Amino acid sequence: MKVQRRGPILVEGPVEVELEDGTTVSSDRFRVALCTCRRSRRYPWCDTSHRARSSGAGDGDGDGPSAKA
């Protein structure tokens, strides 16, 4: 397992995940990205929605398109 700052958790597969409502989803891929920001339309799988910025201004993290060199 690998945790990325402001990104998904990468897990070696195959993977079976139990959701909050008790349903189970699975993936037979060799590696999967689990969403940690809950913005994904494919939750619990990451679809890179964490990369999108709604405002971009004032978040002060220094990365992404709003960062100035």
Side-chain angles (χ1 to χ4, degrees), residues 2-65:
K2 180 178 179 182
V3 178
Q4 297 181 337
R5 183 176 179 225
R6 297 190 183 191
I9 296 175
L10 301 178
V11 181
E12 305 238 349
V15 174
E16 191 171 280
V17 178
E18 184 177 333
L19 302 176
E20 292 175 280
D21 65 2
T23 60
T24 302
V25 294
S26 61
S27 173
D28 59 357
R29 298 183 65 140
F30 70 94
R31 182 175 297 140
V32 295
L34 297 174
C35 177
T36 58
C37 70
R38 293 190 172 257
R39 294 180 196 160
S40 175
R41 290 183 213 151
R42 299 182 58 222
Y43 187 82
W45 317 121
C46 178
D47 67 0
T48 69
S49 293
H50 60 274
R51 293 181 185 167
R53 303 261 187 230
S54 58
S55 67
D59 64 4
D61 64 2
D63 61 56

